[in-house]
Amino acid sequence: MDIDLNQIEEIINQIGQAQTLEEVDALYLKLMGKSGYIATATRSLSVISKDQVKEIAPKLTQLRQLTETATKKTRLEIKEKEYEKLDLEQLDLTTFEKIKQRKGHLHPVTQFEIEIAELFSKLGFQQFDAPHIDTDENNFELLNIPDNHPARDLWDTLYIDQSKLKVSPGKLLLRTHTSNSQVHIMKGLKPPFRMMSIGRCFRYENLDARHEHTFDQFELIYIDKGVNMGNLQYLSEYFLKAVFGSDIKVRLKPKYYPFVEPGAGVDGQCIFCHGAGCKVCSNSGWLELAGAGMIHPNVLRNGGIDPKKYSGIAWGFGPERMVMLKYGIEDIRLLKSGNLKFLERY
Ligand code: FA5
């Protein structure tokens, strides 16, 4: 019988040039499959002469090894070429590291409040938390604003519907200012003391670029012997210069609040128009940042403090208004808009 070793070598060559794994597999089977050339030739050894076997058997063994080696090598080359193609398609398996990861951070108003609380704690002011839902008594009456007092119009108040309450804690409201903390603090402490209180306030407001219905206030209370308007002026400037830099222009103007006498408004010059007047500052050139004044003797008395021995000063700042000024934000409503694109800037 004729054993065509040349044909086997030819097929081994074809394996070396194959372009796909399927091609390699088909050629491999053509040689090594049950009825493939090598298997058939091996079976034929039994029907040929001993001399022929001696000559052909080692060649067949060699061709079998060559087939295995060529198949392995070509398969590997084809796989490498496929990986290269994947590379060209830019399938970068490390890309997930490059994706910009969105990190959370504190709201700019919260960041600012932490900053100012630290500033005043260095000046000996301690923090106090007053209730958001409080009585009309603490929010108004004990602050020298009796029922039906015309000054109540200064605060558009949200009262709580108490018709379903089983207890009667007095008339309840959402505090309109952090000044509700004043009498809580005075009743709980003996003077002298310096306290601060930061938190949410609520008003039934007409909303505009400077007014929110839900906003924060930062209350400062300083009670000691001989405290006066000079201390108020000094600390107001100290505070605003620490926040906005020494170039900020600060002014105190007379302002009426029933719980201070004299009362003042603390203004910072508008950074949007540098005092020329614009829509953010209602063309006044100034942004009102706080109400302040010498604590009224009636309020000290309501808090159990003798106004003949002690005097006090107090401020109620608007942190959102200060953040607007600090970052050049033109509309207060952006701060609680939940707009992440806006918030990510700070
Ligand atoms: C008061 O609320 C007084 N309790 C402040 C005070 C405290 C006076 C202690 C005297 C002594 P007024 O309503 O002016 O005052 O508010 C104080 C500050 O809170 C304002 O200057 C402003 O910065 C901020 N503010 C007031 N209303 C709003 C509002 N609707 N939205 C955002 N900020 C506001």
Side-chain angles (χ1 to χ4, degrees):
M1 130 158 228
D2 258 2
I3 296 176
D4 191 350
L5 296 179
N6 288 337
Q7 200 169 15
I8 295 176
E9 277 171 6
E10 173 61 24
I11 296 171
I12 292 173
N13 279 340
Q14 286 173 18
I15 291 178
Q17 283 149 31
Q19 297 299 315
T20 63
L21 291 176
E22 288 77 19
E23 244 181 275
V24 177
D25 287 345
L27 291 166
Y28 180 82
L29 277 179
K30 213 166 172 182
L31 294 178
M32 304 286 271
K34 243 189 194 170
S35 28
Y37 285 97
I38 292 180
T40 311
T42 308
R43 273 197 303 275
S44 311
L45 292 178
S46 56
V47 293
I48 57 173
S49 69
K50 271 189 184 168
D51 288 344
Q52 276 180 314
V53 170
K54 260 191 197 165
E55 189 195 335
I56 293 171
K59 282 190 180 164
L60 275 178
T61 308
Q62 200 187 1
L63 287 172
R64 216 179 279 122
Q65 281 167 357
L66 279 177
T67 305
E68 292 294 350
T69 321
T71 305
K72 214 171 169 182
K73 185 166 171 268
T74 311
R75 285 182 74 92
L76 211 71
E77 284 169 359
I78 292 171
K79 277 188 184 166
E80 270 170 12
K81 273 189 206 149
E82 279 176 4
Y83 285 136
E84 273 168 27
K85 254 196 248 162
L86 286 179
D87 265 358
L88 285 175
E89 284 168 14
Q90 304 258 314
L91 256 185
D92 182 355
L93 300 178
T94 62
T95 43
F96 106 100
E97 274 183 34
K98 292 178 196 156
I99 291 169
K100 188 176 164 247
Q101 295 201 352
R102 184 180 255 176
K103 281 195 193 139
H105 63 77
L106 292 176
H107 190 280
V109 175
T110 311
Q111 291 177 36
F112 179 70
E113 288 174 350
I114 292 171
E115 215 178 281
I116 58 181
E118 275 171 8
L119 180 74
F120 276 91
S121 82
K122 284 184 193 144
L123 297 179
F125 285 76
Q126 287 180 43
Q127 225 165 322
F128 177 88
D129 249 351
H132 291 182
I133 297 178
D134 207 348
T135 56
D136 183 275
E137 192 183 23
N138 287 322
N139 195 82
F140 288 129
E141 283 170 39
L142 295 174
L143 292 177
N144 212 23
I145 318 169
D147 217 0
N148 301 320
H149 191 289
R152 287 213 176 198
D153 290 348
L154 293 173
W155 294 276
D156 302 290
T157 310
L158 292 153
Y159 285 93
I160 307 271
D161 175 5
Q162 290 173 254
S163 55
K164 295 204 172 89
L165 273 190
K166 292 197 174 100
V167 286
S168 175
K171 202 159 154 194
L172 290 175
L173 45 77
L174 292 180
R175 70 170 176 192
T176 57
H177 50 183
T178 43
S179 297
N180 74 323
S181 65
Q182 290 193 9
V183 175
H184 285 287
I185 289 171
M186 289 179 212
K187 281 181 176 167
L189 290 174
K190 279 210 164 100
F193 56 77
R194 301 169 194 196
M195 298 295 289
M196 57 180 155
S197 186
I198 309 180
R200 284 281 150 88
C201 303
F202 311 87
R203 293 184 194 175
Y204 183 68
E205 287 275 22
N206 277 330
L207 305 187
D208 62 26
R210 287 171 299 137
H211 292 88
E212 263 287 11
H213 48 74
T214 304
F215 58 97
D216 283 10
Q217 278 192 349
F218 178 56
E219 191 92 3
L220 289 165
I221 303 166
Y222 177 12
I223 297 183
D224 204 342
K225 288 178 179 159
V227 169
N228 58 48
M229 282 300 276
N231 301 108
L232 188 119
Q233 166 94 27
Y234 175 80
L235 279 169
S236 302
E237 279 199 34
Y238 172 85
F239 181 28
L240 297 188
K241 285 187 193 297
V243 170
F244 301 112
S246 52
D247 288 344
I248 178 100
K249 292 210 171 71
V250 182
R251 74 172 186 190
L252 291 192
K253 62 178 183 206
K255 191 165 182 198
Y256 172 71
Y257 294 99
F259 37 94
V260 283
E261 179 56 39
V266 183
D267 293 352
Q269 194 177 60
C270 179
I271 57 143
F272 300 101
C273 60
H274 302 287
C278 66
K279 76 171 187 324
V280 183
C281 61
S282 301
N283 292 317
S284 69
W286 296 89
L287 270 180
E288 190 189 275
L289 301 175
M294 300 272 313
I295 300 175
H296 198 286
N298 287 350
V299 178
L300 288 173
R301 250 179 248 115
N302 290 339
I305 294 171
D306 183 353
K308 289 196 182 107
K309 279 196 193 155
Y310 291 99
S311 56
I313 45 180
W315 297 255
F317 284 91
E320 278 100 344
R321 295 255 182 103
M322 296 180 80
V323 167
M324 286 172 75
L325 208 59
K326 186 171 173 182
Y327 295 121
I329 297 165
E330 288 193 16
D331 196 316
I332 196 170
R333 289 166 291 193
L334 283 167
L335 290 167
K336 290 208 177 61
S337 63
N339 179 341
L340 288 182
K341 272 208 176 116
F342 164 76
L343 290 173
E344 273 167 1
R345 285 188 232 150
Y346 307 100

